[in-house]
Every structure is written in C-alpha cells, then in structure tokens.
C-alpha cells in the first residue's frame, strides 16, 4: 500500500522564534500556534 | 366476503410498499446497517423485476402524455434487423461476449427532420448484457451531421445516461482530455422508442478538432478476460504491444514501453496529471484506469496524457482513503494501475493534485448545481423513454450524496494534519502531517518545506 511518509524540516542558527510564521501554501492559511513553549503544536 | 376483500387489499398494499421500499433501498443505498445487509439479496432479484418493468409501478408520471418526440429515426432494412438478431444469437450461443470479428459495418439510412442521410452502423460494445435484455448500442458513420455529429456512438440508456454527460463535463471543467460531452437523444430501437447517449467517436480527428492535438496517437490495451471474473483486466495488461491499434511507429511503441515501466517526468505534464488525479480520486474508483478501460493520448511532442473517461460513477470515500491511496484497491487489480502509482509518487504531481483538489472545493457549488441542471435538462427523455426511470432518479440522489461526501472529505484532507515545532538551542525542527507545502518564515525570509516525503 502506498502511504504518505513525513519529512523533517531542520534549520540551524535560529536565534529566536518571535517572528516565526508558518503558512499552508495551498490553503493560503497561516498556522496558528502558541509561542510560550519549546514544543509547539499547531492546527 | 368483506373481510376477505380487506385482507386482499391490505396484502396488495403491503406488497406494493415493501417492493417500493426495496427498490428505494437498493438504488439509493442509504447508510443504514440493517438495510445494507438486505441489498445483496435484492441485487439478485432486481434484474428480473426490472426486466418485467415492476419499477414502473412507482413512476406513474412515466405514462402521462408529454411533448418529447424522437430526435431522428434509424431506418433499418429487414436484412439489417435479421443481421442484428443473428449476430447477437451467435454471440450468446458461442462466446458470451460480442467479439469485434462479429461486428461489421452495414449501410442504412437515418431520417433526420425529413432528410434521408446515408450512413453505416455496426454494433457497439463487448458485453452481451444489454443485447440479452433487449437493448442495443451502435457505432455510426453518416454522410451528413446527425445532431451535429458524423462519427458517433449511440449507447443504450440501459448503460449510459445523463451521468455520462456530467462526468465528461467535469473532466472539461478540469481542463482534461475527455470524450465528447454528448447528448441524450431519443430514437427507434427494437420496435420501440428509447433513450440513447449520443457522443462523437473519440479518434485522432476528434483530438484535432477539440484539443488542437495534431498527429497524436490514442493508446488503449486490446485484450481483456472473457467476462468471467476480472472483466477489463488481463495478464497482458503490462505488455506494451498489446494495443488496440492498426499500426504504431517503432519510436512510439518504445516510448510507451518505457513509459509503462518507468514514467519519467519528461514524458508527462505534472499539472495535467495533478488535475487528472484530483478528479479521479474525487470519484474514488479506478474503473477507468484498469486494463482495457485505460486510454492514453501520445502527443507529437512525446507527452502522455490519460483520457478522463469516467463511466462507473463515484464510490463513497471515507476519511483516510486519500492518504492511503485506497483508490488503487477499490476494484480488481491490473498492471495498468502501476504506471499511475509511480506517477503519483512524484512530488510535483502530488502538489499539483492538491492544488487541483482545492480548485474542486472552490467549484463545489458549481459541480453540484451542474449535476442537478444536467439531470433536469434530460430527465423528460429518461422518464418517457428510459429503461428504468425509477433507478435513474434514485441513482441521482445516491450519486449526488456521494459527491457531496467525497468533496467534504477532500476538503478535510487538504486542511488536516498537525505540525510539531521543536526549538532546541538554535536549532528549529518542524515535522508536520499537513498535506501541502508549508512556507516557513523567520523575519522576512521564507523557506518552503514539503512535509510529505517524495
């Protein structure tokens, strides 16, 4: 069975997450997340 | 006497209502567990009931007078009628399929608006089912256009109806190569007036006229099993020269051979394939890409395009079907599916598929309203001249409900998934089960991240 498998995005040298923005390019929708924790889960 | 009469009337009423509910449950297939267990039993009975027109007891309006008349007349000679009967009888007694060797062109006339048009016909199709049920289909070539077409098919209403117009219409909406959208027409057949789906023959001339594709080649597998188990697939589906063609250049055959086993992106258009997969997966049924149903166009610039030719109708989707690509497992297997599986794992095709999914969602109202409009445009002909108007009208409810369900699941698929962000020291890690490219922005810089692995 062909199933979707997941990639991982890794970026080094990030000094802070204040301006981090995630946008779903096809839905043209910004993913909302809490910025208070080191482990963040978006919708 | 009075009690006996009341019991008799009650029994008649009970039978009428029970049979009506059985027809309803069988044609609409509502999601009710108890009803669903009954459907397989009724499926054995239904063809016999339909053959004796019991369904007409529930479509009384069918018998009311209406203004619909035939669109043109097929003027068969006595010899033509005898020929048709003998070919069908021979096929029934011999092979159980209507083989091509039995189908011969015969000259006849078509009367269209008092004009006599010279034409030729031959019987269409391989399945004997419609013929044994008293219905027939034709391929026709005429000297003058008949309802705007000179090379066309007339497919009995037993096998095709307004749904086929809708399926082709949706294909065109998605800018895909499809067969002629077609018309529902009424003409004489087997001593009666009947509804037919009329559409132009899909050949190289049609590709030039409709799609500006010049010197293109249409590729379709030749053989299939003899209808006993896997009707459209065969052990030769992976054999490149097993083609329904009079001739093909060595170069084209080599291209096809390579393409079947390892489809390179230099030989397909990822945007076209994305649109094709989006609509195919919306229907969630692989009938059109299995075995000898599977049809491709090879353009003169060596690109392969699958022809969108939905015939079987949509199959109800459940959550997870798209992620698991269940479409490839909803019907019997054929090597023809392998080429599609290999193309769908291309990230470029995958992204274009999702983009086309979004386009389908944006067109949801247009698609569903068009379905109603196309039905309303042709329902009078189906009602007066169709083999089973009860089935046509209830099938419409079922298909529309499946389309709504599948569009909703596509919508959920596109907007589903969660994203985990881990910020450890100065390292940002993101993993996501969302389906689309995520644009990761830090300050004014954006980097594209594709969560789904190629």
């Amino acid at each position: 069975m062909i199933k979707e498998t997941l990639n991982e995005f890794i970026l080094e040298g990030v000094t802070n997450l204040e301006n981090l923005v995630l946008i779903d390019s096809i839905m043209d929708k910004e993913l909302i997340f809490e910025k208070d924790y080191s482990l963040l889960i978006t919708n | 006497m009075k009690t006996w009469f009341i019991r008799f009337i009650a029994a008649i009423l009970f039978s009428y209502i029970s049979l009506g509910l059985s027809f309803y449950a069988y044609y609409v297939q509502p999601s009710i567990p108890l009803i669903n267990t009954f459907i397989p039993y009724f499926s054995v009975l239904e063809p016999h009931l339909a053959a004796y027109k019991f369904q007409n007891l529930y479509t009384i309006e069918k018998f009311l007078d209406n203004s619909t008349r035939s669109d043109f007349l097929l003027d068969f000679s006595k010899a033509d009628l005898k020929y048709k009967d003998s070919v069908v009888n021979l096929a029934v007694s011999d092979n159980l399929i209507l083989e091509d060797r039995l189908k011969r062109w015969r000259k006849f006339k078509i009367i269209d608006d008092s004009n006599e048009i010279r034409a030729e016909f031959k019987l269409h199709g391989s399945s004997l089912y419609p013929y044994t049920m008293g219905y027939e289909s034709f391929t026709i070539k005429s000297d003058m256009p008949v309802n705007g077409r000179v090379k066309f098919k007339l497919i009995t209403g037993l096998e095709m109806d307004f749904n086929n117009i809708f399926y082709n219409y949706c294909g065109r909406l998605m800018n895909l190569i499809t067969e002629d959208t077609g018309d529902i027409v009424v003409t004489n057949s087997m001593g009666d007036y009947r509804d037919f789906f009329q559409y132009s023959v899909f050949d190289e001339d049609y590709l030039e006229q409709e799609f500006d594709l010049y010197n293109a080649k249409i590729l379709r597998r030749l053989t299939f099993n003899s209808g006993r188990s896997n009707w459209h697939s065969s052990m030769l589906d992976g054999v490149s020269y097993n083609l329904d063609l009079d001739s093909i250049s060595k170069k084209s055959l080599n291209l096809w051979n390579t393409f079947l086993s390892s489809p390179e992106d230099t030989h397909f258009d990822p945007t076209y394939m994305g649109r094709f997969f989006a609509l195919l997966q919306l229907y969630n049924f692989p009938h059109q890409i299995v075995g000898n149903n599977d049809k491709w166009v090879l353009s003169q610039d060596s690109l392969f395009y699958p022809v969108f030719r939905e015939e079987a109708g949509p199959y109800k989707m459940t959550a997870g079907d798209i992620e698991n690509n269940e479409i490839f497992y909803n019907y019997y297997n054929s090597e023809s599916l392998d080429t599609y599986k290999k193309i769908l794992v291309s990230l470029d095709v995958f992204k274009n598929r999702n983009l086309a999914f979004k386009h389908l969602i944006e067109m949801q109202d247009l698609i569903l309203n068009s379905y109603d409009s196309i039905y309303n445009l042709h329902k009078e002909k189906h009602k007066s001249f169709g083999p089973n108007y009860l089935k046509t009208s209830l099938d419409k409810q079922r298909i529309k409900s499946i389309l709504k369900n599948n569009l909703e699941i596509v919508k959920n698929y596109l907007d589903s998934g969660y994203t985990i962000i881990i910020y450890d020291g100065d390292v940002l890690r993101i993993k996501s089960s969302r389906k689309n490219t995520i644009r990761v922005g830090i300050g004014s810089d954006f980097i594209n991240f594709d969560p789904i692995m190629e």
Side-chain angles (χ1 to χ4, degrees), chain B residues 23 27 46 50 55-56 62 382 386-393:
Chain B
F23 273 125
Y27 293 145
E46 189 272 345
Q55 69 279 11
N56 290 350
K62 182 180 171 71
H382 288 319
N388 189 344
Y389 177 63
L390 182 70
K391 181 176 189 296
T392 306
S393 58

Side-chain angles (χ1 to χ4, degrees), chain A residues 4-5 7 9 11 14 21 23, chain B residues 413 423 430 439 441 451 453:
Chain A
E4 294 170 359
T5 47
N7 277 326
F9 176 90
L11 190 63
V14 179
V21 179
I23 298 169
Chain B
Y413 167 82
Y423 184 50
I430 302 175
R439 300 181 65 220
M453 193 177 282

Side-chain angles (χ1 to χ4, degrees), chain A residues 1-17 19-27 29 31 33 38-43, chain B residues 324-325 329 341 355 358 413 415 417 419-421 423 426-432 434-443 449-453:
Chain A
M1 186 172 283
I2 314 165
K3 286 194 173 184
E4 294 170 359
T5 47
L6 303 183
N7 277 326
E8 188 175 21
F9 176 90
I10 301 173
L11 190 63
E12 294 178 359
V14 179
T15 50
N16 72 71
L17 289 186
N19 300 318
L20 177 67
V21 179
L22 303 182
I23 298 169
D24 183 306
S25 63
I26 287 187
M27 299 308 286
K29 168 184 171 179
L31 307 181
F33 55 89
S38 59
L39 177 65
L40 310 169
I41 300 179
T42 77
N43 53 335
Chain B
N324 297 331
N325 291 298
Y329 312 97
K341 291 176 188 172
L355 199 59
K358 193 192 176 200
Y413 167 82
D415 202 14
T419 308
I420 297 175
I421 304 164
Y423 184 50
D426 64 348
V427 179
L428 173 67
R429 292 171 184 272
I430 302 175
K431 208 158 184 175
S432 178
R434 289 190 70 84
K435 314 304 172 194
N436 309 316
T437 302
I438 294 174
R439 300 181 65 220
V440 182
I442 300 172
F449 163 47
D450 292 312
I452 305 291
M453 193 177 282

Side-chain angles (χ1 to χ4, degrees), chain B residues 23-185:
Chain B
F23 273 125
Y24 179 84
Y26 182 65
Y27 293 145
V28 177
Q29 296 182 12
S31 299
I32 305 169
L34 193 64
I35 296 288
N36 290 346
T37 55
F38 147 87
I39 284 171
Y41 300 104
F42 193 70
S43 69
V44 179
L45 194 60
E46 189 272 345
H48 302 287
L49 293 171
Y52 286 103
K53 312 276 184 202
F54 274 91
Q55 69 279 11
N56 290 350
L57 294 170
Y58 303 90
T59 50
I60 305 300
E61 68 268 34
K62 182 180 171 71
F63 301 105
L64 300 178
D65 189 35
N66 70 73
S67 56
T68 308
R69 294 289 176 263
S70 65
D71 293 276
F72 48 83
L73 294 172
L74 308 176
D75 188 10
F76 294 116
S77 66
K78 279 185 182 171
D80 292 332
L81 298 174
K82 201 170 172 183
Y83 159 79
K84 288 193 294 170
D85 285 348
S86 61
V87 165
V88 172
N89 288 339
L90 186 63
V92 169
S93 63
D94 193 9
N95 294 318
L96 298 174
I97 59 169
L98 190 55
E99 293 178 76
D100 282 348
R101 66 184 174 84
L102 296 173
K103 300 171 198 163
R104 299 280 160 82
W105 287 107
R106 287 182 70 91
K107 289 182 180 171
F108 80 131
K109 285 176 194 159
I110 296 174
I111 316 292
D112 187 8
D113 203 16
S114 18
N115 297 318
E116 273 194 10
I117 299 172
R118 283 188 301 184
E120 290 178 65
F121 78 92
K122 67 175 180 178
L123 297 179
H124 162 89
S126 306
S127 167
L128 273 174
Y129 167 71
Y131 295 96
T132 54
M133 296 294 286
Y135 293 85
E136 56 189 358
S137 299
F138 305 101
T139 307
I140 291 174
K141 298 188 284 195
S142 59
D143 284 0
M144 300 281 290
V146 177
N147 197 27
R149 298 167 178 89
V150 288
K151 282 188 286 182
F152 58 92
K153 302 268 185 182
L154 281 181
I155 309 295
T156 164
L158 192 67
E159 295 200 305
M160 289 188 172
D161 57 18
F162 81 97
N163 282 299
N164 297 88
I165 297 178
F166 172 73
Y167 299 147
N168 289 338
Y169 165 81
C170 286
R172 297 285 173 112
L173 212 56
M174 292 297 282
N175 202 17
L176 297 171
I177 297 171
T178 75
E179 293 179 341
D180 179 15
T181 312
D183 273 321
I184 300 301
V185 295

Side-chain angles (χ1 to χ4, degrees), chain B residues 247-293:
Chain B
S247 67
I248 184 170
S249 70
K250 192 173 178 183
K251 184 186 164 206
S252 297
L253 184 62
N254 286 340
L255 269 176
W256 175 240
N257 186 36
T258 310
F259 184 75
L260 283 183
S261 53
S262 74
E264 298 290 332
D265 57 8
T266 47
H267 290 298
F268 63 78
D269 172 354
T271 60
Y272 182 94
M273 289 308 306
R275 296 195 302 275
F276 183 88
F277 275 115
L279 197 52
L280 182 75
Q281 289 191 274
L282 175 69
Y283 286 101
N284 199 30
F285 200 60
H287 175 271
Q288 64 169 295
I289 57 170
V290 166
N292 77 329
N293 283 335

